[in-house]
Amino acid sequence: MQHAPHAQPNAKDLAALTLGAIGIVYGDIGTSPLYALKEVFNHGHLPLTPENIYGILSMMFWTLTVIVSLKYVTLILRADNNGEGGLVAMLTLASTAVKDRPGLRGKLLALGIFGTAIFFGDGVITPAISVLSAVEGMEVAAPQLERYVVPITLVVLTLLFMVQKHGTSGIGKFFGPITALWFVVVAVLGLYHVLQNPAVLVAMSPHYALNFIVDHPMLAFIALGAVILCATGAEALYADMGHFGKLPIRLAWFSLVMPSLVLNYFGQGAMLLAHPENVANPFFEMAPHWALYPLVGLATCATVIASQALITAAFSVTKQVIQLGYLPRLRILHTSEKETGQIYIPFVNWTLYGCIVLAVIFFGSSGKLAAAYGITVTIDMMITTVMTFFVIRFAWKMTWLVCVLATAFFFAIDLMFFSANVIKVIDGGWFPLLIGIVMFSLMITWKDGRELLSARLRSDAIDLRPFLEAVFCSPPLRVDGTAVFLNADAGTTPNALLHNLKHNKVLHKQNLFVTVRSHEVPWIPLKNRIEVESLGNGCWQVILHYGFKNEPDVPRALKLLKEHGVFIEDMETSYFLSRDIVIPTMGGEMAPWREKLFAGMHRNASGAAAFLKLPTNRVVELGSKVEI
């Protein structure tokens, strides 16, 4: 599928895209008022005094301004990779920019892949804490319902993950309106209390934050670990740029999202100045008693939508990482006939669900989960800042001074927030970190194992052109039809061809030796999809090129061969694949446990036929054992 960068939309399209961005992009950060300010004061480290409330509100306002408005909305959105955003797009942009520096490129790839792995840890905590914090609103209405919070949360999350296989095309159109309603309600709740005490708005002045930091440096440092919760979800601004474009995302932020968040946080602060006893759950305490149950329902809908956006992102990121060669092929199902981007990956869905259930049961409350939240977010923020430096330096060719000035300030702030969250590792931050480290180990093991396997296959491979010349000196029986031999390395003889000649002793009239290559760009258009080289005697070397967001479809791509004078009939075409069985050996180049892990991942990987959209009734797989 060819992708074109977003053109300037007309007014109607801009409104629709902006509404869509509100529902998909801002669900996570939009539900932060449920728990962010509460967590600053809930652990008893910080006395609930007017000076401290003003200081924290000022820190939150400037966190939203500096990290979200300046860093992400203004700077990071400029670093698009052919119109696409997200850490994978940033990684490929940065690594491509330094391709002539292999040592630096390797370090950047490792750093970017670690950031992508950490994202999965964030993907577990976000749905757990957001849905839990919404359902906890029942405790404000009726404290006796406290024991039902965890069971209801688990029911909501179970239903959410059960419907994933059906896709969101039917209900997705409601995400924008529901989330927009949520922001309006959030703003109105905050505005009511701000009007009760308008003086609270003076906390927008940065000197309140600076005074708080100077007067209470250790308390301010600890508080930073909770203050960052108001900016969680900022990465989604960049990750979803390819779906909506920069303008709708920016318009949604400045016109609705940021004003609503600021009003709500300051409203919570104004209420706490008058009623400090409401600190246990200030968001729900802002609402009149008659509105509590409807507010819990709306909050639950908003957190489910935020979780849905993150689950969809997990599917998308997994698919991209698979095509970049860092994870084995997984079974990918399409949930929409119109939108190729709407996919469902059963293994990711239920693994994510299992980890989220563990988090909800183990931690049991949004307060305890908040200790686990923040560490992964701040790691990804730092990695994005580092990647941005290399993009603007080596891809945009800006001077060192400009690059340092553009990123050092943000990196210092990211590092400050990260340091404040490191002290929460023992209290729960270890949980998402453990998930991220496990994912990183799997991804690096798969990448290294694939390289070892490819090197072993190349060392035993026979050059294709000389082999064919030898075959045609005394040609075997030629049969009608076309044989497509899938081959990882162009120019080498596929094992499937050797086995076919050995056992069947025939050769088709047309033979295509097809290599599929994935590149570190999001999209490769159809006009650049195919390379063809004639090898004579009805044989052709074909190379198919895909970006990491393209949908590999070999039969569809081979239809382009007619432009090169090669005609194939679908019903007369057979696809031959080599299915290698990896045998780990002692004394290999990887640690024994990694070799066994890679062999297991390779054995359980989804077949290439499904991944490449090959017709199952015309696929022939021939296996061989390979020692690494």
Side-chain angles (χ1 to χ4, degrees), residues 244-570:
F244 301 101
K246 301 172 189 176
L247 182 58
I249 290 175
R250 286 171 172 157
L251 189 61
W253 173 252
F254 288 113
S255 67
L256 178 64
V257 179
M258 185 177 181
S260 299
L261 294 176
V262 171
L263 274 173
N264 193 269
Y265 286 124
F266 278 72
Q268 290 186 45
M271 182 195 65
L272 289 177
L273 286 169
H275 303 283
E277 68 277 9
N278 290 341
V279 70
N281 203 330
F283 178 84
F284 285 103
E285 293 286 2
M286 283 198 298
H289 196 270
W290 61 264
L292 276 174
Y293 287 113
L295 185 59
V296 169
L298 180 60
T300 303
C301 289
T303 55
V304 164
I305 291 170
S307 302
Q308 175 60 59
L310 198 139
I311 295 166
T312 302
F315 294 157
S316 178
V317 168
T318 302
K319 178 175 171 288
Q320 294 171 32
V321 171
I322 288 171
Q323 290 191 217
L324 285 173
Y326 284 93
L327 279 178
R329 292 182 302 269
L330 296 172
R331 185 166 168 248
I332 298 176
L333 305 175
H334 291 265
T335 58
S336 172
E337 295 180 359
K338 296 179 180 178
E339 296 290 333
T340 57
Q342 290 194 16
I343 58 174
Y344 168 65
I345 306 178
F347 179 80
V348 173
N349 187 70
W350 294 113
T351 302
L352 202 59
Y353 170 74
C355 292
I356 290 171
V357 168
L358 280 176
V360 171
I361 294 173
F362 181 79
F363 290 98
S365 71
S366 62
K368 292 178 180 177
L369 265 170
Y373 208 17
I375 185 76
T376 53
V377 174
T378 51
I379 288 174
D380 271 349
M381 285 181 172
M382 284 198 302
I383 290 174
T384 298
T385 304
V386 171
M387 293 290 176
T388 303
F389 171 83
F390 287 99
V391 169
I392 62 179
R393 175 71 184 105
F394 295 103
W396 298 357
K397 308 296 183 185
M398 291 189 176
T399 63
W400 275 100
L401 181 61
V402 171
C403 297
V404 170
L405 290 176
T407 56
F409 170 67
F410 294 117
F411 185 79
I413 293 174
D414 293 339
L415 185 60
M416 189 167 58
F417 279 115
F418 170 72
S419 302
N421 275 280
V422 166
I423 62 177
K424 299 196 299 183
V425 168
I426 297 175
D427 294 329
W430 59 269
F431 185 73
L433 270 180
L434 177 64
I435 293 171
I437 290 169
V438 169
M439 284 301 303
F440 181 69
S441 301
L442 290 173
M443 292 160 80
I444 293 299
T445 296
W446 180 256
K447 182 71 171 178
D448 292 346
R450 286 292 300 167
E451 289 177 353
L452 287 175
L453 179 61
S454 296
R456 179 60 191 270
L457 291 174
R458 277 195 302 271
S459 68
D460 296 335
I462 304 167
D463 287 341
L464 180 60
R465 194 180 286 272
F467 177 79
L468 290 177
E469 290 173 356
V471 166
F472 287 115
C473 287
S474 179
L477 176 68
R478 305 293 291 269
V479 295
D480 290 337
T482 301
V484 176
F485 293 93
L486 275 297
N487 196 15
D489 290 305
T492 61
T493 304
N495 285 336
L497 174 63
L498 296 173
H499 288 302
N500 190 46
L501 287 171
K502 178 180 178 181
H503 297 291
N504 298 326
K505 298 179 175 57
V506 295
L507 198 63
H508 287 72
K509 286 190 176 178
Q510 285 194 140
N511 297 276
L512 307 177
F513 302 95
V514 177
T515 298
V516 177
R517 286 183 181 167
S518 292
H519 296 269
E520 294 178 0
V521 294
W523 306 93
I524 290 179
L526 280 175
K527 63 180 181 180
N528 299 330
R529 176 77 70 238
I530 194 164
E531 277 183 59
V532 183
E533 179 188 359
S534 175
L535 302 175
N537 295 295
C539 299
W540 289 269
Q541 174 73 63
V542 180
I543 301 176
L544 303 179
H545 299 279
Y546 292 95
F548 60 79
K549 296 200 78 171
N550 281 127
E551 199 69 37
D553 189 333
V554 169
R556 183 185 175 197
L558 293 181
K559 293 187 186 319
L560 299 172
L561 283 170
K562 62 184 178 183
E563 299 172 9
H564 301 269
V566 183
F567 299 91
I568 60 175
E569 293 290 337
D570 285 345

